[in-house]
């Protein structure tokens, strides 16, 4: 029986290994983590992450061929294949701070693998890493190997949170990069055999190590670039009276472009896009390619611009001040069907409104009050560096409340901000909400999910990104 161990029981390690265990009953899969609460949660009825379909998969395999454990060393030493799916956040200090990937977690995992291994192993990079990381990992492993043979593979993960199980069941492609030596090719074949249990042969792409590593950064950069492109257009639509939904539909009909990932919004979030682009920018700079670096940097700049444009639009619509006004925040996660708030645009929008002294009443179906409070206390990039945690300031405590339904959040509010596209926000009773709000009542839809005409008929003043402006907003000075 092949034994797999995955280091890192997070958003990637947990679901990926659960699906491998489900699809390969003859393989024993252990997912290990240094975080005791995380492993305890994986072994309980309250999984540590919300992902549609995940619970069902875990329940089918847990205790049979899928195990979650904090005994990292034991499971690593027994495994034939070790996936490393630890976090690779942006560095917050030292060389490359604010851009480069922090490989501290990766390096310590690699050193531990070298220390505890007693048999040959295939070590698989599942985390997103800078190009040439495999070379560094190889050096750590081979210099501490005691005669054991390690083969490094790059097998970046392309799942999207919110649809992770679907993506893992039916991936567009599985990418495996390895050395072009006979041993490297043999290792590729071993990993390919695992995926072949359910992924069609033609979707398993095999490349050299560096192509696999770079492809993941490139894919995320391309995806984020599409969002920034349509968001840049949304600003122009508002200025000209065009409707961004119509524009993106027309553009996406071109089969060379395609319709996906062309929804205008308040901006992209999540743990990966910004981090991976910054990492790409850093790699370009280090390789003497400042023009290429500058090109990709713009994707992030537009994303930041979109968030501040949203806040500015809101404040200027509400008579240039939101001081002491109650603003309902509907949605805090970075997208629907996840409770993940890493780099969610809601943090920047809320911080902008708090800076203008608004009172916020926040509702998200999957995000806890604890999490929201933590998000407000952290500086950019600090979320993945737990040592930097601080308590929320007393002023912020007074300004923020977290509630458990949309009607409580919006009661007596002056305005509503929709920041996550949860389906339930489309079917709220907006007449009832309007009746219970201060007037004039405003809706700022950062995800373009409400029926603008219907809400205007009720009496709301509605701002929807990239849509023709309400007469109210048109008369205001232009927003930068
Ligand atoms: P995460 O933060 O949810 O999980 C990482 C886990 O690794 C944590 O539970 C942490 O305790 C554990 N860990 C860190 N060092 C360890 C060590 N030395 N030994 C044992 N456990 C250790 O991170 P997530 O979101 O799963 O991401 C992991 C990697 O996958 C990152 O490189 C990310 O860029 C990449 N990725 C993430 C995707 C996503 O949608 N979240 C999608 C595709 C790739």
């Amino acid at each position: 029986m092949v034994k797999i161990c995955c280091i890192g029981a997070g958003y990637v390690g947990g679901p990926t290994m659960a699906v491998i265990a489900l699809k390969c009953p003859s393989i024993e899969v252990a997912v290990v983590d240094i975080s005791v609460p995380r492993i305890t949660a994986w072994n309980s009825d309250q999984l540590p992450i919300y992902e549609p379909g995940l619970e069902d998969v875990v329940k089918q395999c847990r205790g049979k061929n899928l195990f979650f454990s904090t005994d990292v060393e034991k499971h690593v030493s027994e495994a034939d294949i070790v996936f490393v799916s630890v976090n690779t956040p942006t560095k917050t200090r030292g060389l490359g701070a604010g851009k480069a990937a922090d490989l501290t977690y990766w390096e310590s995992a690699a050193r531990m693998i070298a220390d505890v291994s007693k048999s040959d192993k295939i070590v698989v990079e599942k985390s997103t890493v800078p190009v040439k990381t495999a070379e560094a990992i190889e050096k750590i492993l081979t210099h501490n190997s005691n005669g054991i043979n390690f083969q490094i593979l790059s097998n970046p993960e392309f799942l999207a949170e919110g649809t992770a199980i679907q993506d893992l069941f039916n991936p567009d492609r599985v990418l495996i990069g390895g050395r072009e030596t006979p041993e490297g090719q043999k290792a590729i074949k071993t990993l390919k055999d695992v995926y072949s249990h359910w992924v069609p042969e033609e979707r398993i792409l095999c490349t050299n190590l560096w192509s696999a590593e770079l492809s993941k950064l490139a894919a995320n950069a391309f995806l984020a670039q599409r969002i920034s492109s349509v968001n840049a257009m949304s600003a122009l639509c508002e200025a000209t009276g065009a409707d961004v939904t119509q524009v993106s539909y027309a553009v996406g009909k071109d089969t060379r472009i395609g319709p996906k990932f062309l929804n205008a919004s308040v901006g992209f979030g999540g743990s990966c896009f910004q981090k991976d682009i910054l990492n790409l920018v850093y790699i370009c700079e280090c390789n003497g390619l400042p023009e290429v670096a500058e090109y990709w940097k713009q994707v992030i700049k537009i994303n930041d611009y979109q968030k501040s444009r949203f806040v500015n639009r809101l404040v200027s619509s509400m008579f240039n001040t939101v001081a002491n006004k109650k603003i309902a925040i509907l949605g805090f996660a970075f997208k629907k069907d996840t409770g993940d708030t890493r780099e969610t645009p809601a943090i920047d929008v809320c911080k902008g409104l708090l800076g203008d002294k608004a009172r916020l009443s926040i509702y998200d179906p999957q995000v806890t009050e604890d999490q929201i409070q933590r998000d407000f206390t952290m500086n950019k990039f600090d979320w993945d560096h737990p040592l930097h945690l601080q308590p929320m300031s007393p002023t912020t405590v007074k300004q923020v409340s977290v509630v458990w339904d949309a009607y409580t959040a919006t009661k007596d509010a002056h305005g509503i901000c929709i920041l996550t596209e949860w389906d339930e926000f489309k079917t709220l009773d907006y007449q009832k909400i309007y009746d219970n709000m201060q007037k004039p009542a405003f809706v700022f839809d950062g995800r373009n999910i409400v029926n603008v005409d219907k809400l205007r008929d009720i009496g709301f003043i509605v701002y929807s990104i990239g849509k023709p402006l309400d007469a109210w907003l048109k008369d205001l000075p232009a927003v930068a």
Side-chain angles (χ1 to χ4, degrees), residues 162-443:
T163 53
I165 298 299
Q166 225 173 292
D167 297 342
L168 289 163
F169 278 180
N170 190 20
D172 289 339
R173 78 306 210 184
V174 166
L175 183 56
I176 305 175
R179 285 278 183 198
E180 281 145 331
T181 57
E183 298 79 20
Q185 294 303 303
K186 192 170 158 223
I188 290 180
K189 161 103 179 38
T190 306
L191 187 56
K192 200 174 164 188
D193 287 346
V194 173
Y195 285 107
S196 298
H197 280 82
W198 78 99
V199 181
E201 166 101 32
E202 67 278 8
R203 290 206 211 157
I204 305 178
L205 316 181
C206 300
T207 66
N208 74 27
L209 271 170
W210 329 126
S211 301
E213 287 179 337
L214 184 56
S215 298
K216 175 64 193 176
L217 293 181
N220 272 355
F222 276 47
L223 288 169
Q225 182 208 42
R226 274 174 86 93
I227 301 178
S228 279
S229 297
V230 75
N231 281 346
M233 282 300 158
S234 75
L236 190 55
C237 286
E238 286 166 32
T240 56
D243 180 330
V244 75
T245 311
Q246 294 173 349
V247 172
S248 60
Y249 182 75
V251 170
K253 272 286 174 193
D254 186 325
T255 50
R256 292 169 303 176
I257 297 171
K260 291 189 182 161
F261 253 66
L262 285 182
N263 290 331
S265 71
V266 62
F268 60 74
S271 64
C272 294
F273 282 175
Q274 174 166 284
K275 150 177 100 69
D276 293 349
I277 293 178
L278 288 170
N279 186 358
L280 187 66
V281 165
Y282 184 67
I283 295 170
C284 292
E285 286 170 353
C286 292
N287 281 285
L289 301 168
E291 289 82 1
V292 185
E294 202 50 44
Y295 173 77
W296 288 109
K297 236 188 248 175
Q298 283 303 321
V299 173
I300 308 246
K301 282 193 187 161
I302 287 289
N303 198 47
D304 287 338
Y305 164 74
Q306 189 76 342
K307 289 180 274 188
S308 60
R309 204 169 74 77
F310 187 83
V311 173
N312 293 348
R313 180 70 86 183
L314 186 150
V315 176
S316 72
S317 312
M318 298 180 79
F319 316 103
N320 251 342
T321 174
V322 285
N324 282 320
K325 290 179 184 163
K326 178 176 172 181
I327 308 290
I329 304 293
L330 299 189
F332 200 81
F334 84 93
K335 66 195 282 201
K336 75 169 181 177
D337 292 337
T338 177
D340 193 354
T341 61
R342 296 179 290 181
E343 297 292 343
T344 175
I347 296 176
D348 286 343
V349 169
C350 288
K351 281 187 174 172
L353 296 175
L354 290 171
D356 227 291
K357 297 200 166 50
R359 287 181 297 120
L360 305 183
S361 185
I362 306 174
Y363 164 62
D364 186 290
Q366 285 297 334
V367 184
T368 61
E369 179 163 3
D370 263 13
Q371 183 59 51
I372 291 173
Q373 287 188 351
R374 246 174 287 148
D375 288 334
F376 284 143
T377 58
M378 280 183 275
N379 294 323
K380 213 168 173 54
F381 306 126
D382 275 358
W383 47 267
D384 222 351
H385 301 268
L387 291 178
H388 301 179
L389 278 181
Q390 299 155 7
M392 198 151 105
S393 82
T395 348
T396 315
V397 171
K398 270 192 222 144
Q399 283 175 269
V400 177
S401 68
V402 178
V403 297
W404 274 104
D405 77 290
Y407 297 102
T408 314
T410 51
K411 188 165 184 328
D412 295 322
H414 293 77
I416 299 173
C417 277
I418 300 174
L419 298 182
T420 312
E421 70 281 22
W422 286 103
D423 288 338
E424 66 176 75
F425 298 154
K426 293 180 190 163
T427 52
L428 292 171
D429 181 346
Y430 281 99
Q431 181 65 59
K432 178 172 151 189
I433 288 176
Y434 179 80
D435 293 342
N436 287 324
M437 283 178 67
Q438 308 276 345
K439 309 294 178 316
F442 295 84
V443 170

Side-chain angles (χ1 to χ4, degrees), residues 69-86:
S69 169
T70 48
D71 198 344
V72 180
E73 298 186 359
K74 170 180 175 284
H75 288 285
V76 168
S77 79
E78 288 173 358
D80 306 295
I81 305 176
V82 180
F83 284 84
V84 184
S85 185
V86 300

